[in-house]
Amino acid sequence: MGNESLEGLKIIEMTEAWAGPVCASLMGDMGADVIKVESFPRHSLTRPTSPRYATMPGDGPVYERDALHHQGNRNKRNIAIDIRTESGTQILKKLLSDADVFIEGYAAGKIEKLGFGWKDVQKINPNITMISIAGWGLEGPYKKMVTLGAGLDATTGHLSLRGYPEGDFVDTHPNFHSDATGSSTIFFAALTALLQRQKSKKGTFIDLSQWEGLVWQFPTILAEWTMNQRIPERLGNDDPHIVPHGVYRTIDDDKWIVVAAEDDQQWEGLCEIIDRIEWSETSHKYSSIVGRIEGREEIDNAIESFTKQYEGFNAAEILQNKNVIASPVVTPPDVLLSNQLHDRSWHQTITHKWTGPVMVGGFLWDVEPDSLSWDIPTALVGQHNEEILIELGYDEKKISEFYKNGSIGNHYEN
């Protein structure tokens, strides 16, 4: 184990998709003992039983080769339980009895029906921190509604800001901001609760609405309406207060580069590169931001005339040497080949039973002196059933009974 910042903490995670699993992985990265309680016999969203776009090559079950599941479930042990059974209920109670954090991602009210609401968990372990991450929170008129990233991004107004003015909401790419922010929000909440426990010596319950955690990040939407009675426009790659600010073609087909100049120094450097130095002189209307906003189209055309002569990385280097903000728009293969990421040893190569060696994305931060490490490859379904159950005091005969009565499992039916 590399980093030991959270060593000694036991985390029980019962979540799916991205926000909850990634949060738990972050805690595992820092040395916590994370036990993922996998749904059984139902398979989770990132355990598809038929191939899809994220399925990695290799042998063995499809549900063991999903890239999203691998990226969001490192550094965990896995136990697959049917907690609707009497035996499954008892196993989960034992897991919670000495745990420090319990993260559950069921829809509001579901965990209570299963017998593991906060009052129930508190009786099992009064010192535990329990975090419920139901999309809308546990109370309010939406509490009976279920949602994932698409619903959260839509109802916070995030989708209304994405895309182009002439485009429709259906054109928005399905990469959801809430998936990224949710994991860090939960992580912050968990560590804050653990610090509070050091003072109070008591457990904590956190009703963490992922929707509320996202909506506060968009004050511009509310302020524009509250103060100006205006609804922010969909601007695509433009910025209402900065010109240039856009994405421009390069010499290669369907390859692009981001270019922006936020101040006069950057603007002067850009004008020199695109052979329009007179545009930066005080006598020219484009020397002011107001003038540049009015001349956005002409400026964009001049920049693209320059960028279309170069490959993206070369154009970016030329522009950045003059302090202009510029970066090529890369594809997934470009990320894998990134010199910057390789130099920082960000990519991780792991070996998994069904995929063989595979390169995956690294960590959110670099920590010294104890570096982070990918100690436990993404676990197979129920891979650690026996190991964990023996730790809980069950013998081999009892574990065999659990398999027979369906309380635990280690594979999904196709």
Side-chain angles (χ1 to χ4, degrees):
M1 179 65 70
N3 191 274
E4 299 177 355
S5 300
L6 301 182
E7 186 180 22
L9 293 177
K10 180 178 177 180
I11 316 299
I12 306 301
E13 179 231 316
M14 293 180 64
T15 68
E16 294 183 18
W18 190 255
V22 170
C23 166
S25 283
L26 297 179
M27 301 184 83
D29 294 345
M30 303 188 76
D33 177 19
V34 179
I35 298 177
K36 184 178 186 69
V37 178
E38 191 116 21
S39 172
F40 181 82
R42 169 192 168 273
H43 62 88
S44 69
L45 294 171
T46 54
R47 292 280 202 187
T49 55
S50 58
R52 64 175 187 167
Y53 68 95
T55 301
M56 296 188 290
D59 299 322
V62 170
Y63 56 76
E64 299 289 10
R65 294 185 282 114
D66 190 83
L68 294 177
H69 190 83
H70 277 250
Q71 187 65 33
N73 289 283
R74 64 180 180 266
N75 285 335
K76 303 175 185 179
R77 296 191 290 165
N78 185 295
I79 183 169
I81 312 174
D82 186 349
I83 64 171
R84 299 169 301 176
T85 65
E86 182 178 348
S87 298
T89 296
Q90 293 304 313
I91 293 170
L92 182 55
K93 285 182 177 180
K94 285 196 173 188
L95 283 170
L96 295 172
S97 65
D98 64 346
D100 296 285
V101 179
F102 175 37
I103 307 172
E104 67 89 10
Y106 286 96
K110 181 65 174 179
I111 199 73
E112 286 81 5
K113 291 180 181 178
L114 293 169
F116 291 95
W118 171 233
K119 293 181 179 179
D120 304 302
V121 171
Q122 205 173 20
K123 292 176 182 178
I124 299 169
N125 181 353
N127 295 318
I128 198 170
T129 287
M130 179 174 174
I131 306 177
S132 170
I133 61 170
W136 311 107
L138 299 182
E139 299 297 335
Y142 286 7
K143 70 178 183 180
K144 293 185 178 180
M145 299 170 61
V146 295
T147 187
L148 288 173
L152 297 173
D153 279 23
T155 55
T156 55
H158 190 273
L159 289 183
S160 71
L161 298 182
R162 292 164 60 181
Y164 296 95
E166 67 276 8
D168 194 274
F169 290 141
V170 298
D171 296 327
T172 305
H173 195 278
N175 284 335
F176 302 115
H177 189 64
S178 53
D179 285 337
T181 62
S183 55
S184 54
T185 302
I186 303 163
F187 185 77
F188 174 80
L191 295 192
T192 302
L194 290 169
L195 288 172
Q196 178 62 24
R197 188 180 68 173
Q198 292 181 356
K199 299 177 182 179
S200 67
K201 309 302 180 183
K202 297 179 181 179
T204 303
F205 176 69
I206 299 176
D207 174 4
L208 194 155
S209 161
Q210 293 186 59
W211 184 81
E212 292 171 5
L214 182 62
V215 72
W216 78 277
Q217 298 181 26
F218 304 109
T220 303
I221 304 173
L222 301 177
E224 271 286 73
W225 178 254
T226 302
M227 300 175 66
N228 305 314
Q229 281 71 58
R230 291 195 301 253
I231 297 176
E233 298 179 8
R234 293 155 61 87
L235 297 174
N237 298 308
D238 291 338
D239 186 286
H241 309 298
I242 300 173
V243 174
H245 189 286
V247 179
Y248 306 89
R249 292 180 177 84
T250 66
I251 195 170
D252 298 317
D253 289 341
D254 202 27
K255 292 285 188 176
W256 305 74
I257 183 172
V258 171
V259 179
E262 295 183 332
D263 57 35
D264 290 341
Q265 181 186 18
Q266 294 172 3
W267 173 244
E268 183 176 352
L270 176 62
C271 290
E272 181 180 342
I273 290 172
I274 64 175
D275 198 25
R276 298 290 195 282
I277 192 63
E278 69 277 7
W279 285 2
S280 64
E281 296 172 356
T282 55
S283 59
H284 198 283
K285 67 176 182 178
Y286 290 169
S287 65
S288 72
I289 185 60
V290 174
R292 294 199 286 274
I293 290 173
E294 292 177 353
R296 187 188 297 268
E297 183 176 356
E298 183 180 17
I299 293 169
D300 284 344
N301 289 337
I303 294 172
E304 191 158 274
S305 294
F306 163 77
T307 60
K308 286 176 68 174
Q309 302 175 58
Y310 298 92
E311 181 271 334
F313 284 94
N314 291 339
E317 183 175 2
I318 294 170
L319 291 161
Q320 288 183 19
N321 284 338
K322 288 293 183 178
N323 297 314
V324 181
I325 298 170
S327 296
V329 178
V330 302
T331 61
D334 293 323
V335 175
L336 292 175
L337 297 172
S338 169
N339 291 332
Q340 173 71 10
L341 293 176
H342 279 288
D343 186 70
R344 290 176 57 82
S345 301
W346 185 78
H347 294 102
Q348 302 287 311
T349 299
I350 61 168
T351 299
H352 185 268
K353 178 178 180 179
W354 297 119
T355 65
V358 59
M359 184 180 291
V360 293
F363 306 103
L364 265 66
W365 42 69
D366 189 16
V367 181
E368 294 295 341
D370 299 324
S371 60
L372 304 177
S373 57
W374 198 307
D375 297 296
I376 306 176
T378 300
L380 308 177
V381 175
Q383 180 176 341
H384 302 98
N385 285 349
E386 291 87 349
E387 176 183 310
I388 294 170
L389 290 171
I390 289 172
E391 291 175 0
L392 296 177
Y394 294 105
D395 58 26
E396 292 183 3
K397 180 179 179 182
K398 197 64 177 178
I399 295 172
S400 180
E401 289 179 10
F402 291 157
Y403 276 113
K404 289 179 181 178
N405 65 27
S407 297
I408 63 173
N410 55 18
H411 68 278
Y412 294 122
E413 299 297 335
N414 292 330

